[in-house]
Amino acid sequence: MLTECINLDPTDRRHSVAPRKDRSQVKQSSPQISPLTVAMLAVRNNRDRNAFAQLFDHFAPRLKGFIMRSGTSSGQAEEIVQDVMLTLWRKADQFDPERAQVSAWVYQIARNRQIDVIRKENRPVPEELSQDTDQEPDASQVLAIEQEAGQLKDAIARLKPDQREIIEKAYLGELTHQQISTQTGLPLGTIKSRIRLGLERLRHELKELR
């Protein structure tokens, strides 16, 4: 994991820098500021590795879903997410809370990186990615993605325990049916049946939310 590559030992001060006394840092005391902004400013101003881990845990799964929506494979999406989060760490000094929310800034990095990958592979850039590439993503789009992720998580939590376990292993753990069978001892037919029933239930619940 990327957070392991960046030493998160809070006692390691080799890369720490003195806090910058600017107006953005002063605003951390404001009750209006979001926890993500607080974490991002801690990374920007203090190279805080624990704050980076918090941002990684929040954004990594959401970015992966965002990237895969345009047809990118799961494995390649994970690589792009790693690059995006490493860019967040390296270029944290460019973050300005007065110009963009953390989510908008991170999703812009992700979109630009995804476009670079697609162009290197000589593939056509999807229309939703090619539009307004020099501008920040619309806040409503970011919110919609966040809401979809939350709705899916809630829907999975409402599945029957046996269905939820298999769905999580297959789609969140990215295990093959055979790997799930080996891990759980269940027959392949039972695994396929639980996945089918679980997906049908998810489709039904998510359809009702639209």
Side-chain angles (χ1 to χ4, degrees):
M1 180 181 288
L2 179 59
T3 51
E4 295 174 351
C5 296
I6 298 175
N7 183 6
L8 295 180
D9 182 356
T11 63
D12 183 353
R13 304 299 183 187
R14 289 174 297 172
H15 301 292
S16 297
V17 296
R20 298 189 308 187
K21 295 181 179 179
D22 57 17
R23 57 183 179 178
S24 298
Q25 187 178 24
V26 172
K27 288 186 177 181
Q28 289 189 37
S29 61
S30 169
Q32 303 283 336
I33 197 168
S34 72
L36 289 177
T37 300
V38 171
M40 189 64 232
L41 289 174
V43 172
R44 189 194 74 175
N45 298 337
N46 304 324
R47 308 305 284 166
D48 188 317
R49 295 172 178 80
N50 289 328
F52 175 78
Q54 178 186 341
L55 292 170
F56 189 98
D57 290 342
H58 176 84
F59 282 114
R62 292 167 171 79
L63 286 173
K64 182 177 178 181
F66 170 74
I67 292 167
M68 291 181 65
R69 290 177 67 177
S70 64
T72 302
S73 68
S74 175
Q76 191 172 52
E78 288 185 359
E79 292 180 4
I80 294 175
V81 169
Q82 295 281 335
D83 286 344
V84 171
M85 297 309 297
L86 186 58
T87 298
L88 180 151
W89 174 261
R90 289 174 172 171
K91 297 187 177 182
D93 63 317
Q94 297 181 11
F95 172 68
D96 183 351
E98 294 188 0
R99 295 184 58 190
Q101 296 180 350
V102 179
S103 293
W105 189 65
V106 172
Y107 279 107
Q108 179 65 55
I109 295 173
R111 184 168 65 179
N112 290 342
R113 177 58 182 146
Q114 190 175 9
I115 290 174
D116 289 342
V117 170
I118 291 173
R119 285 175 174 167
K120 286 180 180 178
E121 296 177 349
N122 293 319
R123 293 190 287 121
V125 177
E127 184 177 354
E128 65 270 19
L129 290 179
S130 61
Q131 293 179 345
D132 300 325
T133 55
D134 294 329
Q135 300 179 12
E136 297 171 0
D138 186 88
S140 63
Q141 295 177 350
V142 174
L143 179 60
I145 293 169
E146 298 277 351
Q147 289 177 336
E148 286 179 9
Q151 290 171 354
L152 178 59
K153 182 178 179 181
D154 291 342
I156 291 176
R158 288 193 293 270
L159 292 174
K160 294 180 179 180
D162 56 349
Q163 294 175 359
R164 182 174 66 247
E165 179 187 12
I166 302 302
I167 290 289
E168 288 178 342
K169 288 180 182 296
Y171 292 94
L172 303 182
E174 298 182 5
L175 300 179
T176 65
H177 291 181
Q178 184 59 58
Q179 288 172 327
I180 296 173
S181 177
T182 301
Q183 189 177 101
T184 63
L186 294 172
L188 284 174
T190 300
I191 291 170
K192 292 179 180 179
S193 175
R194 290 184 182 179
I195 289 177
R196 178 177 57 80
L197 293 173
L199 290 178
E200 288 178 356
R201 179 63 182 172
L202 285 177
R203 279 194 291 268
H204 176 72
E205 290 210 14
L206 294 175
K207 184 177 180 180
E208 290 183 346
L209 293 172
R210 293 183 184 280

